[in-house]
Amino acid sequence: MGSSLPPESALAARLARALKALDEAACGLAQTDAQGKLLYVNATLCRWLGRDADELVGRVRLQELLTMGGRIFHQTHWTPLLQMQGSISEVKLELVHRDGQRIPTVMNAVRREEEGVVVHHIAIYIARDRDAYERELVLARKRLEAAVAQARRLEDEAKDRALFAEQMIGIVSHDLRNPLSTIHTGAQLLARFDPAPQQQRVIERIQRAGERAHRLIGDLLDFTQARLGGGVSVSPRPMALHAQVAEAVEELRLAFLGRTLRHVQEGAGDVQADPDRIVQLLGNLVGNAMAYGRPDAPVTVRSLCARDRFILQVHNEGEPIPEELRARLFEPLSRGHSDASATRSVGLGLYIVSEIARAHGGQVQVESSAAAGTTFSVDVPQPLQAAGPAAGDPDPA
């Protein structure tokens, strides 16, 4: 068996190993007196600072190795906290290397009294990764705050532009009615002087153009009222739905000469609604069907009355509405097809339809397929006392 060291030698060896382990620890170790003067520094901390132990121990105070902000913190927080609570945990401070480079660290300290002398034991950890992470968090927060502020500015600008545009639409639309009324009145007067057939056709074109412009202005004014005033105004009163729809269909036939427009009615026809708005709604739906439906196929208007509701439907054949467009079909300035032909509307008609339906407490829906065509349905609930007799009511489905 090999010889063993005497007990004193073994103890000395273990002590030497322990001191070496402390000197080469993965963290910086230091001891200071109550005023911060360094009493001990390990080799790790010396390497971080680029200094020798002889330069530091007994010559330098811990606070002198800190940045200016760290020195202030040491005086105002470090020393008082150690005196009051005896320890400090995870204090982030920056040490200064011999060459002036800043070293981000996290420090823990414990206050001890040894043989009547106050000593501070300090463990120091490099915190470059943590510092970089925290700086990135701060930068990310600043970027987020800047993005939020920019988004709010853009939102405010968009609201201002939208409000200005809506106000301008209302002003322009209102001011256009006077010259259009003059044109319409002039065309009516010319028609009384027994014009030649060719002149009569020109007068009729002027009248039809004026009527289209008048309807467009009405849509623009309704759009402005709906966006600025909270919705389209209606004045419901008792009305004969089928008779009102039949009269509107007859007028629309004159507006769409050469096209087939049919009217189908079901159930008793007494309802509560705004007659003018119902005619406007119907005109917009029929105009939409004529614009996008197949020219050689009929457009069918159905008016259905039940005990608790009435339904208006407008059906046309032709290319179906793409699925991706249906979700925003009733939004202002949108169309049911991607075709932006100049012969078609600016995209307010269906929005006005939905607003009129909503003002009556109802809703509008659309079904569209290549096989069945396109059907817009306006469903308006009714008070039971305003509806016709229960017997013979149609099934709207």
Side-chain angles (χ1 to χ4, degrees):
M1 295 181 61
S3 61
S4 61
L5 292 174
E8 296 81 2
S9 300
L11 181 61
R14 286 198 296 271
L15 181 59
R17 287 196 298 270
L19 291 174
K20 182 175 178 58
L22 289 175
D23 206 34
E24 298 294 337
C27 64
L29 297 175
Q31 288 181 354
T32 74
D33 62 15
Q35 287 71 44
K37 183 182 292 185
L38 290 169
L39 304 177
Y40 166 79
V41 290
N42 70 347
T44 302
L45 182 58
C46 289
R47 284 196 301 272
W48 290 351
L49 295 171
R51 299 171 183 265
D52 294 329
D54 292 340
E55 297 179 63
L56 300 173
V57 175
R59 297 174 179 271
V60 177
R61 293 183 300 170
L62 175 66
Q63 53 267 42
E64 293 172 1
L65 300 173
L66 302 174
T67 61
M68 182 56 68
R71 294 180 187 182
I72 295 173
F73 180 87
H74 187 279
Q75 180 178 355
T76 58
H77 291 76
W78 179 283
T79 301
L81 284 173
L82 279 177
Q83 289 176 346
M84 288 187 295
Q85 61 189 32
S87 66
I88 298 177
S89 299
E90 297 185 356
V91 175
K92 185 179 177 184
L93 295 169
E94 287 185 323
L95 293 172
V96 180
H97 190 275
R98 178 192 292 275
D99 61 9
Q101 180 184 359
R102 294 185 174 190
I103 307 168
T105 68
V106 172
M107 299 187 186
N108 294 334
V110 176
R111 185 178 185 272
R112 295 278 188 268
E113 188 171 336
E114 300 175 357
E115 298 179 356
V117 178
V118 173
V119 178
H120 296 168
H121 298 270
I122 305 166
I124 305 171
Y125 303 87
I126 292 290
R128 286 195 177 92
D129 290 342
R130 172 175 171 173
D131 184 67
Y133 174 70
E134 290 176 350
R135 290 178 185 275
E136 184 60 32
L137 284 180
V138 171
L139 290 175
R141 180 175 179 177
K142 290 181 178 179
R143 288 194 293 266
L144 177 60
E145 290 173 348
V148 170
Q150 177 67 5
R152 286 175 178 169
R153 284 195 297 271
L154 293 175
E155 182 181 6
D156 291 341
E157 291 174 3
K159 288 179 179 178
D160 290 341
R161 288 194 296 269
L163 180 60
F164 175 76
E166 290 168 2
Q167 290 173 337
M168 286 300 297
I169 287 174
I171 293 170
V172 172
S173 301
H174 183 272
D175 290 347
L176 281 175
R177 281 189 162 179
N178 289 335
L180 277 175
S181 296
T182 301
I183 293 171
H184 183 69
T185 302
Q188 287 180 325
L189 289 174
L190 288 175
R192 296 179 182 178
F193 291 104
D194 195 20
Q198 185 175 2
Q199 294 173 328
Q200 181 64 34
R201 287 194 293 273
V202 172
I203 292 172
E204 290 174 354
R205 283 200 296 270
I206 293 174
Q207 290 177 321
R208 287 196 296 271
E211 290 169 358
R212 285 197 299 273
H214 186 77
R215 287 195 297 271
L216 176 58
I217 289 173
D219 284 347
L220 289 171
L221 289 173
D222 286 337
F223 166 73
T224 305
Q225 179 184 0
R227 296 299 291 267
L228 298 181
V232 170
S233 62
V234 295
S235 300
R237 57 183 181 270
M239 60 171 280
L241 179 67
H242 299 318
Q244 190 73 59
V245 171
E247 182 180 344
V249 167
E250 190 60 35
E251 292 179 0
L252 289 167
R253 287 194 182 106
L254 298 177
F256 297 101
L257 293 175
R259 300 290 296 273
T260 301
L261 181 60
R262 298 173 178 170
H263 177 212
V264 178
Q265 60 187 41
E266 297 182 30
D270 295 329
V271 300
Q272 286 277 349
D274 186 325
D276 295 332
R277 290 300 190 183
I278 293 300
V279 170
Q280 181 185 6
L281 176 150
L282 190 61
N284 285 353
L285 288 178
V286 170
N288 184 78
M290 292 295 182
Y292 295 106
R294 209 173 69 232
D296 60 344
V299 171
T300 302
V301 176
R302 298 179 69 200
S303 52
L304 303 89
C305 292
R307 291 191 72 246
D308 61 348
R309 66 204 331 98
F310 72 84
I311 298 174
L312 291 175
Q313 293 181 332
V314 176
H315 171 268
N316 67 270
E317 299 178 15
E319 181 182 353
I321 301 172
E323 184 68 32
E324 64 273 13
L325 297 181
R326 295 183 196 177
R328 51 186 174 87
L329 192 60
F330 299 101
E331 296 177 3
L333 307 179
S334 65
R335 299 183 176 89
H337 292 73
S338 56
D339 183 5
S341 170
T343 62
R344 299 184 177 177
S345 73
V346 296
L348 291 177
L350 293 179
Y351 172 73
I352 299 301
V353 167
S354 68
E355 286 296 307
I356 293 174
R358 186 168 69 89
H360 281 86
Q363 60 181 350
V364 57
Q365 296 178 332
V366 61
E367 297 179 358
S368 187
S369 67
T374 298
T375 300
F376 284 88
S377 299
V378 178
D379 188 331
V380 178
Q382 291 286 284
L384 292 178
Q385 62 270 22
D393 278 348
D395 182 3

